[in-house]
Amino acid sequence: MSETAALAELAKRRGFFFASNEAYGGTAGFYTYGPEGAALKRNIEDAWRDLFVRELGNMELEAPTVMPEAVFEASGHLEGFDDMILECAECGATHRADHLVEDAVPDIEDAEALGTERVAELVAEHGIGCPSCGAALAEEPVEEFNLMFGTNIGPGSGAPGYLRPETAQGIFVEFPRLKEYARNTLPFGVAQIGRAYRNEISPRRALVRVREFTQAELEHFIDPERDRPPIEAVEDVEVPLYSASAQTGDGDGGVERHTVGAALEAGPLESEWVAYYLGRSVEFYERIGIDMDRFRYRQHLAGERAHYAADCWDAEAEIGGNWIEVTGFAYRSDYDLSKHGEHSGEPFTVFRQYDEPRTVERAVVDPDMSYLGPEFGEAAGEVADALEALAGRDRSAFEGDSVTVELDGETHAVPVETTGFAVEEQTEAGEHITPHVIEPSFGVGRLVYSVLIHAHGTDTVDDEERSFLELPAAMAPTTVAVVPLMTKDGLDERAEGIAARLRADGFEVAYDDTGNIGRRYRRQDEVGTPYCVTVDYETLEDDTVTIRERDSTEQKRVSADDLSAVIRRLVSGDALSEL
RNA sequence: GCGCCGUUGGUCCAGUGGUAGGACAUUGGCUUCCCAAGCCAAUAGCCCGGGUUCGAUUCCCGGACGGCGCACCA
C-alpha cells in the first residue's frame, strides 16, 4: 500500500480525518477532523501561534468568514478568481476561454479583462478550435466560473457577499483600526488562524486540495524604506533552497542548502524580509514534526508569481512522491493596502515622521472671491481652483500684473492682486506612506497531512510488525497513556488514580485496560502517544511505575510521585535514557 | 469540469442474477506478571436513484464519492 493510502486508512480508522457527510454520500472537498486529528491540528496551530504571534511579538485577530462584495472588488478576487470556461460540445472538454484567445491572437495578453461576450466573439472571429478534438468552438457560450462561494447578506438578494477565499483580507480591511491600535507605528504584524473557502473545480488528494480549509497567516506591515528584519537572528539557519534557476535548468537542478545569510549575499534569496521568515519558519516545521529531508523552499518562477509579488517562495513537503505547497512566503508590496485605500476612500496609510521636520517653500493663493464672483459668475469657483493649481506648478505665472487661466478652452485674465498669491514657508513633519506587506501564509490542513505522512512508519518489535506515528511529544493528541498490567489485584484502581493525577497536572491522558498489554502499547503507538505509564505489581510495593517510550519501546522505572515532573522533562526534549 | 478505473461489515479484501464470506479491528468472557499471543462468544456490510428481470449487491442508464491522467490551482 502506498504511504498515502496507508495513512488514509489509518486516518479513517483511528479518527484523524475522514470525508464529511458520508451518511449522505459524501461531499467532495470537505473533510472532518476526528478526535485525534482535531487535537493534532490544534497542537500545530498552538505551536504556530506560540512562534509567530507570541515569540515574534505580533498580534492576533479573528475576522468574519463572510465579507461583502466590495472587499473582493478591491482585492481583485472578484475578477481574478473568475475563470472563463468554455465547453466543447463535441468532446465535452472544458477550456479556459481567455487562454485560448490569448494563444490564438498575438496582440491580446489579458483576454479576461475583455469580458465574456467579447471573448466569445474573438473565439468565433479567429475560428478557434477545441485543443482536445479540434471541433469548432464558435457556437459555444463562454461562461463564468467563480472560485468564491457566494451568499447573500441579510434577507433577499440585496447585498451579495462571499466566503473569504483567504484569511488575509480580513486583516487588510481592518488596517485603519489596527494601525491605531499599533499607535500609528510601523512595523507591526497581525496574524490570524481561520477558515477560508474556495469552490475548487476538482478537489483531490485528501487534505491537499479541499474546498474549506484552515489558514494561518501573518501580515507583517513594514515601512519599506526604513524597516529591516532582525536578520542576524536567522542568518546561520540552514535552509534547503530550490531556486528558480535550478528549476529552469540554469543551475544544477537540485535543492541546495545554504545559510540564510549566505543565500542573501550570493543569491538566490532576494528580499531580506522573505529570507527572515524562511529562516524563522524552519524552527516551526521542525517543532511540528515535518521531516526536513522531505522538505524544500521553492522559488516561484517569473511567470508564476502574482503581479504584485516581488519575491515569492513556497515551502513544500514531499508526500507520496509529490511536492505539495504547505506555505507561501510572499512580498506583497503595498498592493493590498493601496487597493483598499483606492476603493474605500479610507486612509490605508501610516504617517511617517521625517527625522527632522522639513521646511518647504510653497506657493499658495487666497483668491478674493468678492472680486472673482461678480467678474466670472458661476465659473468663479473653477477659476479659483485653477489659480491654486497653477500656483502649485508655475509660480512665475504670477509675476506680472495679471495671470491667465484656461477653463474649457476659454482664457480668463485675473489681476494678480486679487489672487492673494504668496510664497510661504511651511513646516512638514512627515508624510503618509502605504506600508508594504510580507505574508507568510500556512495551510494548516496540509501541514497536518504532511506531519502525519512523515511521522507514519512501521518497524518490527518482537517479530511483530508495528505501525506508529513518530510525532513530536508536544504535538501528539495524547501525551501519556496509563495502562495497568492486569485488571485485577487493585492494579486498575491504582492506574486510574495515577491517570487522574496526571490529568489534574494538565496532561492529555488516555487510560486503557482492555486486552493484553502489548495490544495497548500498539494502539498508542499508532496514534502517536509518546509515553505509556505502566502500573504493575511493583507499583503496589514501592510506588514506582514504568515509563515506556514509543520510539525505542524502552522502559524506565520512576517514582509515581515524580511522574508529572519527569514527563514534563521528556516532553520538553530530554531523553528517557538520560533520566 | 472531461476521460479511464473503481465503490461489499469500522478497516482491508474475496465473491455471486436466487440478498454474502474471510482477515484484521471492536465488545464481552476465560487465560496471561510488559509489547497486536491463545480459546469461546457477540456486534456489524453489498454507495444512491431508475431500468431490465419472477427475482439485481451482481447486468444497463444516471447520480454521488474516490484513485489516476488532462484541465484548473488569482
Side-chain angles (χ1 to χ4, degrees):
Chain A
M1 199 171 0
S2 70
E3 65 173 2
T4 49
L7 186 80
E9 187 269 327
L10 171 64
K12 267 189 280 194
R13 192 164 42 77
R14 298 305 308 268
F16 280 94
F17 60 85
F18 39 81
S20 301
N21 311 311
E22 281 197 303
Y24 291 94
T27 313
F30 294 90
Y31 277 83
T32 296
Y33 290 93
E36 302 286 351
L40 172 62
K41 177 168 178 277
R42 190 172 60 241
N43 289 341
I44 288 173
E45 288 171 359
D46 284 345
W48 188 87
R49 183 176 280 118
D50 189 57
L51 177 59
F52 289 98
V53 180
R54 187 192 62 79
E55 193 174 332
L56 299 188
N58 295 311
M59 45 183 117
E60 180 180 2
L61 57 68
E62 192 174 320
T65 53
V66 176
M67 303 179 84
E69 187 163 53
V71 168
F72 301 111
E73 277 170 6
S75 71
H77 286 97
L78 213 51
E79 197 188 325
F81 251 42
D82 215 18
D83 286 341
M84 291 185 179
I85 303 280
L86 192 155
E87 184 174 345
C88 173
E90 203 62 41
C91 70
T94 48
H95 305 281
R96 284 283 298 269
D98 49 332
H99 289 182
L100 295 180
V101 168
E102 285 160 18
D103 291 345
V105 189
D107 17 313
I108 293 182
E109 286 180 4
D110 183 13
E112 194 157 30
L114 301 172
T116 50
E117 279 181 35
R118 182 67 190 129
V119 168
E121 286 171 21
L122 285 164
V123 169
E125 282 170 20
H126 290 83
I128 295 173
C130 172
S132 305
C133 71
L137 294 170
E139 300 299 311
E140 308 305 328
V142 173
E143 284 170 357
E144 300 265 350
F145 178 78
N146 197 310
L147 255 18
M148 286 194 293
F149 284 101
T151 185
N152 294 305
I153 301 174
S157 53
Y162 296 90
L163 293 176
R164 61 185 181 190
E166 60 175 10
T167 56
Q169 297 307 323
I171 294 174
F172 294 141
V173 297
E174 305 306 345
F175 181 80
R177 197 166 288 286
L178 293 167
K179 70 156 182 192
E180 288 293 320
Y181 179 83
R183 302 200 305 276
N184 302 299
T185 316
L186 292 175
F188 64 89
V190 184
Q192 178 170 217
I193 299 174
R195 298 276 184 159
Y197 303 82
R198 293 180 195 179
N199 200 1
E200 296 285 355
I201 295 172
S202 165
R204 286 283 166 89
R205 288 187 189 139
L207 300 182
V208 175
R209 194 193 292 185
V210 287
R211 291 184 165 131
E212 172 173 348
F213 53 101
T214 301
Q215 288 186 306
E217 294 193 309
L218 172 65
E219 310 299 333
H220 200 148
F221 300 104
I222 60 155
D223 179 335
E225 283 168 32
R226 293 188 175 180
D227 293 329
R228 293 278 171 270
I231 198 79
E232 60 282 355
V234 297
E235 58 192 359
D236 296 329
V237 174
E238 211 173 75
V239 282
L241 299 179
Y242 188 39
S243 67
S245 62
Q247 294 166 58
T248 51
D250 300 339
D252 72 359
V255 172
E256 292 179 23
R257 288 176 188 276
H258 301 284
T259 63
V260 169
L264 262 177
E265 206 162 294
L269 290 176
E270 290 166 29
S271 156
E272 271 196 333
W273 279 102
V274 170
Y276 172 71
Y277 279 110
L278 254 51
R280 277 294 189 187
S281 65
V282 168
E283 183 189 342
F284 170 69
Y285 298 119
E286 285 173 347
R287 262 165 79 176
I288 66 173
I290 294 286
D291 179 351
M292 298 308 274
D293 290 332
R294 302 175 68 182
F295 176 88
R296 69 186 183 192
Y297 293 101
R298 189 180 67 81
Q299 188 171 32
H300 275 207
L301 300 172
E304 186 180 0
R305 42 174 95 148
H307 52 287
Y308 51 76
D311 193 12
C312 198
W313 291 74
D314 285 345
E316 297 184 326
E318 189 266 310
I319 280 176
N322 296 304
W323 287 93
I324 63 159
E325 176 191 348
V326 293
T327 308
F329 296 85
Y331 191 108
R332 290 175 79 134
S333 73
D334 63 352
Y335 178 83
D336 302 278
L337 294 185
S338 293
K339 285 289 184 190
H340 284 301
E342 288 165 22
H343 282 77
S344 68
E346 297 294 316
F348 281 67
T349 54
V350 166
F351 188 71
R352 174 170 71 191
Q353 292 198 331
Y354 297 134
D355 295 333
E356 294 287 331
R358 293 178 192 172
T359 304
V360 292
E361 270 194 353
R362 182 162 291 155
V364 297
V365 293
D366 181 17
D368 178 0
M369 295 311 286
S370 66
Y371 169 78
L372 294 187
E375 184 69 19
F376 298 108
E378 58 186 26
E382 287 175 47
V383 171
D385 291 344
L387 285 169
E388 188 178 346
L390 183 61
R393 65 171 188 271
D394 179 18
R395 59 182 68 167
S396 67
F398 292 81
E399 281 168 2
D401 291 336
S402 103
V403 56
T404 308
V405 295
E406 201 176 304
L407 277 181
D408 303 326
E410 249 184 274
T411 57
H412 304 282
V414 185
V416 167
E417 69 267 19
T418 67
T419 62
F421 176 80
V423 176
E424 290 178 355
E425 284 204 341
Q426 290 184 343
T427 305
E428 288 182 351
E431 63 188 319
H432 293 276
I433 62 156
T434 303
H436 282 210
V437 176
I438 297 90
E439 179 194 76
S441 171
F442 296 73
V444 177
R446 289 180 176 190
L447 286 170
V448 170
Y449 190 57
S450 304
V451 165
L452 283 170
I453 289 274
H454 289 184
H456 189 214
T458 55
D459 62 4
T460 304
V461 174
D462 293 344
D463 294 330
E464 292 279 352
E465 186 169 278
R466 176 175 78 132
S467 161
F468 59 89
L469 286 179
E470 206 164 358
L471 298 172
M475 294 301 115
T478 302
T479 308
V480 52
V482 179
V483 294
L485 189 60
M486 294 284 150
T487 52
K488 60 183 184 187
D489 303 325
L491 288 180
D492 43 351
E493 285 93 352
R494 190 79 182 83
E496 278 172 2
I498 287 172
R501 193 156 132 208
L502 286 169
R503 288 197 179 101
D505 285 342
F507 293 103
E508 287 296 334
V509 178
Y511 175 82
D512 190 357
D513 64 7
T514 58
N516 69 52
I517 190 90
R519 176 181 299 255
R520 285 175 270 159
Y521 288 150
R522 301 303 168 82
R523 271 185 197 141
Q524 296 303 325
D525 290 342
E526 195 171 40
V527 295
T529 305
Y531 306 107
C532 289
V533 166
T534 309
V535 172
D536 55 22
Y537 286 94
E538 219 174 311
T539 310
L540 302 181
E541 290 165 21
D542 62 5
D543 204 32
T544 60
V545 294
T546 64
I547 298 181
R548 172 201 181 259
E549 193 174 55
R550 175 195 64 208
D551 300 341
S552 64
T553 75
E554 278 167 17
Q555 286 180 291
K556 194 136 194 169
R557 185 163 286 280
V558 301
S559 159
D561 286 336
D562 299 339
L563 196 52
S564 289
V566 167
I567 291 171
R568 213 161 268 132
R569 281 178 59 194
L570 291 170
V571 171
S572 68
D574 286 359
L576 185 72
S577 54
E578 287 163 15
L579 285 176

